[in-house]
Amino acid sequence: MSRVHTVSAQLDEPAASIGAKARGLAELHRLGLPVPAAVVVTTEVCRGVLGTGRLPDGLVEEVTSALGSLPQQVSVRSGAADSMPGMMRTVLDVAVHPGGPNAPLADALREVFTSWDSPRARTYRTLHDIPHDRGTAAIVQVMVDGARDDHSGSGVAFSRDPNTGAPAPFGDVLFGHRGDDVVSGRVRTRPLGELAGREPAVWAALTTALDRAERRLRRPCYVEFTYESGRLWFLQLRPAQVTGLAALRIAVDLADDGLIDRPEAVRRTTERDLDRARTPTLAPTGADVVAGQGIGACPGVVSGRVATSADAAVRYAAGGPVVLVRPETSPHDMHGLAAAVGILTTRGGPACHAAVVARALGRPAVVGAADLDVDPVAGTVTTRTGTLAEGTVITIDGTTGQVVLGHAGAVVDDAGPHRDRLLDWADEISGDHTPRPGPDRLHDAHTALRTEENR
Amino acid sequence: MATTTPLDLLVLHTLRCTGHTDLGRLAAATGLPPATVESELLDLAAAGLVVHATGPFASWGLSARGRAADADRIAAELAAAGTGPALTAALDRFLELNPELLDLCTAWQLRGAGGATVVNDHSDPEYDARVLDRFVDLDRRAAVVCEELTAALGRFGRYRPRLALALRRVRAGDLREATDSTTSFHTVWAELHEDLLTTLGIPR
C-alpha cells in the first residue's frame, strides 16, 4: 500500500488513510475545479512517526518527486479523518528544491504529524469521542499567493447562508491578502459579495463552482479559496455545518430544487433543529443596515448603545441598555461585561475569554467580528458601512453572529412557511394527520422512515 | 533570591489584574486579611491611585495614575529581581496551555450533539466527569508552570492555591466554580494571564 498519493480525481482512498481534507480536494478535482498541485502522506506514516519519533527513510524524496515540477513554495497541513479544527499544526512557506537535502520539508512534516499528540489535541479528542490511535494525514500543497498583486486575494464561502439558510453565496473575502491573515486577525475581512464588483470573473467562477459542488454533494457546501492574479484556486471543500432555522430552510429548498426528495428533507431535519428554529434570531430586512458579521457565541438578540470600554459601559448602563464592543476582553473588562446586555468582540473564536464569560453571565455575545475595528481610545467602531461613535444603538444576534445598526425590528422566527411545509411532508410519511406538536410529527415520520429502511 | 512584594504594591497590582472588584475578592486574591487590604486601599485612594465607584456596580478600581504607577513599580520589581527571561519562558509555557483551558471551559459550558452545539445542562454525569478529568490533567501541568513563575517572582505563588481551591470545589459538586463564578478556575486563570502580560509589559 502506497504511503504517498498524488491528489487527483482518481484518488479514492478511505478517509481513515488520507483524511477528510484530501478527500475534499479529490472531490474538487472530480468537479473539474482548479486545485493547486498536492500530495497527501497517509495516517499510517503518522502512526509510525508517533511511535519512532522519526520520518521513515526516503519519505521526503517520495513527496518531492510526487509534487513534480520544482522548486516550489509549499504548505504542509494536517488532515485527519475526523474534523479537529485548529488543533494541529500548519506550516506555510516551506521551500522545496530538487534533489539536495530537504530539511525544511522534513521538519514541517514531523511537526504536523507530532502535533496529533499535542495535549490540546488529546483533550479535544477525549471530549469528542475520537480515538487517540488514528493519526493525521499530511497534505503538502503548492502555495498560491493571495497577496501577489491587486487582482489577488483569499476567502471562505458557503453555498448558502449558514445563519439564515438564504439561497445565496455567503462568506468573507480578503482583497490582496493570504488566507492566514484572516486567522491572525491582522486584516479586516469584507463580505463575500464585494468580490462581484471587484473581480467579476473570479466571482462568476466561484458561484458556478459552489453551485456545481452543491449539486454533487446534495448538501450546502463550504470552500476555501485563493485567487492569484485573477486566477481562482480551491484549497478546501466540505459539507457546510448548519443547524436550526438554516438547516430546516435548506432541507426544504433542496427538495424544491430537486437535489433531494421530500423524505430525505424530513430525514435530515432533527427535532433539535425544529427547537432551535424557534430561538429568536435577527431577520434583517432591506431597511436594516448590516454593519458586521461575527461568530455567535451565546444565543439571544439584544439592542443597546455602543460602549468601547468597560468604564463607559458602566457609565452608559445608568441610562439604558449597553452593548460592550471590544477587540477582545480581559479581567479588566469584567465590570463592563456585567453592566452590558450584550458583548461584541472583533477577535477570538467560540472559546475565547469573552465567549466563556458571556455564557457564564448569560449575555448574548458575538465574537470574532473581523470586519469591525474598535478604537477604544477614540471611542469609535469602524464598520462595513461607516464609523460609529459611542452611544450609537446597535443590535447583535448571538446565534447568527449578525450586527445590525439601530433597533432591528425584525426579530422573528423566519422558518414559519418552511417549517409548515416540512411538517406536512412528515405527516405524509407517517400517515398521521392529527394535530399535534411539531417535534412529535417529525419524530413519527423518522420512525416510519426507519421502519421502511429495515423492511 | 525570592522577592517580597510590598503590601501596597501587592494590593495595587492585584486590582490591576482583577479589574474592578470588591474588598472580599481582593482579600482572597492577595491572601491578606480584609482589614489589611482595606487599610492599603484607603492609603492608595488618598494618593489618588485607586477609586471607589458607587452605585449598582460599586467596586474598587485603578485610576489612570494608579495604572501608570503600577506599570512603573511592577517593571522595577522585575528588573530588581533580574528574572525577566525566566518569566518570559514560563509565559510561553502558559500560552501553550491557554487555548486548551479555553477549550475545556467551552466544553464545560456547551456540548456537541448531532452536529449542533447545545448548552451543557450538567444532566450527564459521565460527560461532566470526562471534562473534569481533563481539567485535572491540565491543572497538573499548570502546577509546573506556576512553580516556575513563583521561583521567578514570589507573588505568583498566590495563584496555585486559588486554582486548586476552585477545582476542589467543582469536584465537590459546586459546578459554578469551573467557569461561572468570580472565584472560578477560569476567572483565576484569566487573572494570572493578565498578571503575566502586565508584569512583562506586553500589550494585549
Side-chain angles (χ1 to χ4, degrees), chain B residues 183-194:
Chain B
T183 51
S184 72
F185 195 96
H186 173 256
T187 302
V188 178
W189 183 274
E191 288 172 14
L192 170 54
H193 191 179
E194 188 73 7

Side-chain angles (χ1 to χ4, degrees), chain A residues 95-424:
Chain A
V96 178
H97 303 284
N102 264 300
L105 180 58
D107 288 347
L109 281 167
R110 201 177 307 110
E111 219 176 300
V112 166
F113 284 138
T114 53
S115 71
W116 169 265
D117 250 348
S118 75
R120 188 181 180 208
R122 292 193 73 85
T123 286
Y124 184 90
R125 290 196 296 273
T126 303
L127 298 175
H128 291 85
D129 287 320
I130 302 169
H132 292 303
D133 58 5
R134 289 187 178 166
T136 179
I139 294 164
V140 182
Q141 187 165 37
V142 171
M143 291 192 56
V144 281
D145 187 1
R148 182 171 193 150
D149 55 28
D150 285 350
H151 294 287
S152 302
S154 54
V156 301
F158 294 86
S159 59
R160 291 169 194 251
D161 187 329
N163 304 307
T164 64
F170 180 93
D172 297 303
V173 61
L174 264 180
F175 296 109
H177 286 274
R178 300 180 355 169
D180 51 310
D181 284 339
V182 189
V183 183
S184 71
R186 280 192 296 269
V187 188
R188 283 190 292 149
T189 57
R190 305 296 306 173
L192 183 67
E194 291 189 10
L195 194 57
R198 272 187 65 160
E199 298 289 340
V202 173
W203 171 256
L206 178 66
T207 51
T208 304
L210 286 170
D211 188 59
R212 206 185 296 172
E214 194 176 76
R215 286 179 184 284
R216 172 74 66 91
L217 270 61
R218 301 189 306 123
R219 288 184 181 283
C221 297
Y222 165 90
V223 297
E224 293 174 7
F225 65 89
T226 289
Y227 61 100
E228 184 187 83
S229 304
R231 185 163 177 204
L232 180 62
W233 298 91
F234 289 92
L235 305 174
Q236 180 157 197
L237 164 68
R238 58 177 162 79
Q241 283 281 354
V242 296
T243 59
L245 182 150
L248 203 148
R249 176 168 181 182
I250 290 170
V252 171
D253 285 349
L254 290 182
D256 284 345
D257 292 349
L259 268 64
I260 58 175
D261 60 19
R262 289 176 177 183
E264 176 63 18
V266 172
R267 196 178 286 119
R268 282 185 186 183
T269 310
T270 65
E271 288 173 52
R272 205 183 296 280
D273 289 334
L274 268 191
D275 192 41
R276 290 194 124 207
R278 282 207 313 270
T279 307
T281 52
L282 265 179
T285 64
D288 290 311
V289 178
V290 178
Q293 173 73 49
I295 303 160
C298 188
V301 176
V302 284
S303 301
R305 290 194 287 161
V306 168
T308 63
S309 70
D311 287 340
V314 170
R315 258 193 335 267
Y316 287 140
V322 171
V323 174
L324 179 63
V325 188
R326 297 284 297 160
E328 60 184 356
T329 64
S330 76
H332 212 68
D333 298 304
M334 279 306 296
H335 63 303
L337 293 165
V341 297
I343 296 149
L344 168 61
T345 72
T346 58
R347 294 191 218 138
C352 68
H353 176 265
V356 172
V357 173
R359 290 189 290 260
L361 296 170
R363 302 280 193 280
V366 173
V367 298
D371 52 357
L372 302 184
D373 197 24
V374 189
D375 183 344
V377 177
T380 56
V381 181
T382 309
T383 75
R384 289 175 184 177
T385 49
T387 300
L388 311 180
E390 282 201 328
T392 310
V393 174
I394 60 169
T395 303
I396 62 168
D397 183 342
T399 304
T400 66
Q402 284 169 312
V403 182
V404 170
L405 290 191
H407 289 278
V411 182
V412 291
D413 161 13
D414 189 39
H418 290 88
R419 181 174 51 211
D420 292 347
R421 293 186 60 212
L422 188 96
L423 290 175
D424 284 344

